[in-house]
Amino acid sequence: MASKLLQLRAKASQATQYVAKHGTVYYKQLLEQNKQYIKDPPTVDTCNELAKQLLYTRLASIPVRTECFWKELGYVKNMWKNRQELTVEEASIAALFGLECFAWFCAGEIVGRGFTFTGYYP
């Protein structure tokens, strides 16, 4: 166990040295490649303004998203009315979508329980 700890410490030391040596070059290169996304002046006030813009832009998009949701729901209702005319492809896509929703629900439940499968909290 002590040897594993020493190996881990050595690896961490190597990683720290690598980041110290190459980190600033990577940082500058990253900023240069993405300079079109940087808002001048890069200050805290600018960041706060952008955060507010993002929040209110998302709030403004709610009616558009709601409209899209109702369109999709109408499509599903129409498909359910005409379910005798469904093709195998459409039925399989619907089944896969339902299975995916169920899988995400199960994964969320497992994560919510702290990654336990029994629900037992030690």
Side-chain angles (χ1 to χ4, degrees):
M1 183 66 178
S3 66
K4 294 281 186 187
L5 186 60
L6 289 174
Q7 288 175 353
L8 182 62
R9 181 181 281 173
K11 293 279 186 185
S13 176
Q14 288 175 351
T16 303
Q17 289 173 358
Y18 182 81
V19 169
K21 185 175 181 183
H22 301 287
T24 55
V25 174
Y26 175 74
Y27 175 75
K28 288 178 183 176
Q29 179 185 7
L30 184 68
L31 287 180
E32 184 62 32
Q33 288 174 348
N34 296 297
K35 67 182 172 185
Q36 72 269 19
Y37 302 115
I38 298 173
K39 177 109 173 162
D40 286 325
T43 61
V44 174
D45 293 333
T46 305
C47 291
N48 288 335
E49 181 184 344
L50 288 172
K52 286 182 183 178
Q53 287 177 354
L54 177 63
L55 171 70
Y56 290 111
T57 302
R58 290 197 180 208
L59 285 175
S61 73
I62 288 175
V64 176
R65 293 178 188 193
T66 305
E67 183 182 330
C68 289
F69 170 76
W70 288 115
K71 276 185 183 177
E72 288 289 327
L73 188 62
Y75 176 74
V76 170
K77 284 181 181 179
N78 187 31
M79 188 181 285
W80 184 254
K81 281 183 193 175
N82 302 324
R83 63 182 175 266
Q84 289 81 17
E85 299 170 8
L86 281 178
T87 63
V88 174
E89 181 183 0
E90 291 170 336
S92 61
I93 288 172
L96 283 173
F97 177 74
L99 184 63
E100 182 182 6
C101 289
F102 180 73
W104 277 111
F105 171 77
C106 290
E109 286 290 315
I110 292 169
V111 169
R113 286 193 304 257
F115 295 99
T116 59
F117 290 101
T118 60
Y120 172 72
Y121 295 104

